[in-house]
Amino acid sequence: MISIIITHYKTPEVLKLCLKYIHKQPEEKEIIVVDSESDWQTKGDVIDKFKNIEYIPFPKNVGYTRLVNEGLKRAKGEYILIINADVIIPQGALGKLVNFLQNRPEIGIVGPKQLNLDGSEQQNYFRFHKLSTIIYRRTFLKNFSFAKKELARFLYSDVEKLNKKGGFEVNWLMGSSLFLSRNSLEKVGYLDERFLMYFQDTDWCRRFKEAGLKIFYFPEVTFYHYHQRGSVKYGGIIDIFVNPLTRIHILDAIKYFLKYNKLR
């Protein structure tokens, strides 16, 4: 059985579309919706329109990490899929992911190719950050050659991806779509709740690698993801002052670099 954990925050119509496509999947599954700042209408829509769903509401916004961990605590499946509510899963995708992990026990987490709704590719795999990576991505420094070199490293721009159609090992995967086995979860444990909304996926993948398990990008499976970078609104330093998500992003980054002694 596959446990599908869906994290949701105030996008009920998007959630219903996500659930519609999940119900088309033929595999045996349990569906766990974990809802931040839940309201009665969303709860009613989910429970009334979609059967056999476990719905976990939170009255306040508790952040992505807590939502995922609550879902993991309830999950009973041999395999676990974690997705955001703005992800659409085409039919047949789940079976391919299960078959892949069954044949590759050394892999801890696998991530599918993610596409924007217009069909363009949305990168969801990266190398580990350096402190400079954060600075370059958020400031005018990104236009200089030394910064472009670092960002190319971070984005795997130096990898000849056309020769790796079957996928390749990466440092970390974006938390919008993560597939893993229960055996792997039991080796590594839950997400670190010191991270509210960001860097918990980076940290989790790092812990999987430290446990001897690989993180793998698998483009043979495709999900669609309606993704907006909430921590970027105006761009540059101004976001720190006007966008609360930017401040959360920076605080979570500091926690991450302190945890791994990378601030020196």
Side-chain angles (χ1 to χ4, degrees):
M1 182 173 72
I2 304 170
S3 297
I4 302 176
I5 299 168
I6 305 171
T7 63
H8 176 250
Y9 177 71
K10 290 188 172 183
T11 56
E13 295 305 316
V14 173
L15 172 62
K16 285 187 279 187
L17 184 63
C18 173
L19 289 169
K20 178 181 176 182
Y21 276 86
I22 287 174
H23 273 282
K24 293 179 180 179
Q25 308 296 322
E27 289 78 15
E28 182 187 4
K29 55 192 173 292
E30 65 170 356
I31 303 170
I32 304 168
V33 175
V34 197
D35 192 11
S36 225
E37 249 180 86
S38 176
D39 58 65
W40 64 269
Q41 184 173 357
T42 301
K43 181 178 180 181
D45 284 348
V46 170
I47 293 175
D48 294 342
K49 295 181 181 179
F50 299 95
K51 306 302 179 184
N52 302 318
I53 289 178
E54 183 169 4
Y55 181 80
I56 306 172
F58 285 91
K60 297 181 179 179
N61 185 2
V62 295
Y64 171 89
T65 312
R66 176 78 184 281
L67 294 181
V68 171
N69 280 348
E70 288 301 319
L72 290 172
K73 291 173 186 176
R74 310 286 185 98
K76 304 178 184 68
E78 181 183 0
Y79 295 96
I80 300 166
L81 173 66
I82 301 165
I83 58 172
N84 292 346
D86 56 359
V87 168
I88 294 174
I89 305 175
Q91 196 159 354
L94 294 182
K96 288 181 181 179
L97 287 170
V98 170
N99 290 337
F100 181 74
L101 271 194
Q102 284 177 336
N103 294 317
R104 300 288 299 272
E106 77 278 11
I107 293 175
I109 302 177
V110 59
K113 177 191 285 188
Q114 289 189 170
L115 298 180
N116 296 301
L117 297 186
D118 63 3
S120 59
E121 186 171 351
Q122 179 189 112
Q123 186 165 344
N124 59 327
Y125 56 91
F126 308 93
R127 285 195 174 100
F128 289 128
H129 302 78
K130 297 178 182 177
L131 183 58
S132 61
T133 316
I134 306 292
I135 297 170
Y136 295 159
R137 293 187 85 197
R138 287 194 168 275
T139 68
F140 68 92
L141 293 172
K142 61 178 172 285
N143 298 314
F144 289 90
S145 58
F146 59 85
K148 289 179 180 179
K149 183 178 179 180
E150 165 54 25
L151 295 178
R153 179 202 67 84
F154 175 70
L155 296 170
Y156 280 96
S157 298
D158 56 337
V159 172
E160 182 51 64
K161 295 158 192 162
L162 293 177
N163 294 328
K164 296 180 177 292
K165 291 184 178 179
F168 52 94
E169 186 177 356
V170 299
N171 281 172
W172 67 278
L173 293 158
M174 194 160 64
S176 50
S177 302
L178 300 173
F179 191 77
L180 62 151
S181 69
R182 175 160 297 282
N183 287 338
S184 295
L185 175 65
E186 289 174 352
K187 288 181 182 178
V188 178
Y190 298 154
L191 277 70
D192 187 338
E193 292 192 11
R194 284 177 287 184
F195 304 103
L196 180 63
M197 292 180 64
Y198 302 98
F199 283 86
Q200 71 291 312
D201 43 12
T202 316
D203 172 72
W204 209 31
C205 289
R206 192 168 197 133
R207 288 162 51 205
F208 271 80
K209 292 174 78 69
E210 288 175 349
L213 296 165
K214 295 180 179 180
I215 309 300
F216 204 86
Y217 170 66
F218 187 51
E220 300 298 309
V221 173
T222 299
F223 287 3
Y224 290 87
H225 182 213
Y226 178 72
H227 175 58
Q228 292 181 309
R229 283 185 67 191
S231 65
V232 176
K233 188 173 183 180
Y234 299 101
I237 300 297
I238 191 172
D239 270 325
I240 297 174
F241 301 101
V242 300
N243 188 353
L245 291 180
T246 303
R247 294 192 290 274
I248 294 172
H249 185 270
I250 292 172
L251 286 173
D252 280 343
I254 292 170
K255 293 174 191 175
Y256 172 81
F257 288 118
L258 284 173
K259 180 174 180 177
Y260 293 101
N261 295 315
K262 298 294 184 181
L263 277 178
R264 62 179 185 274

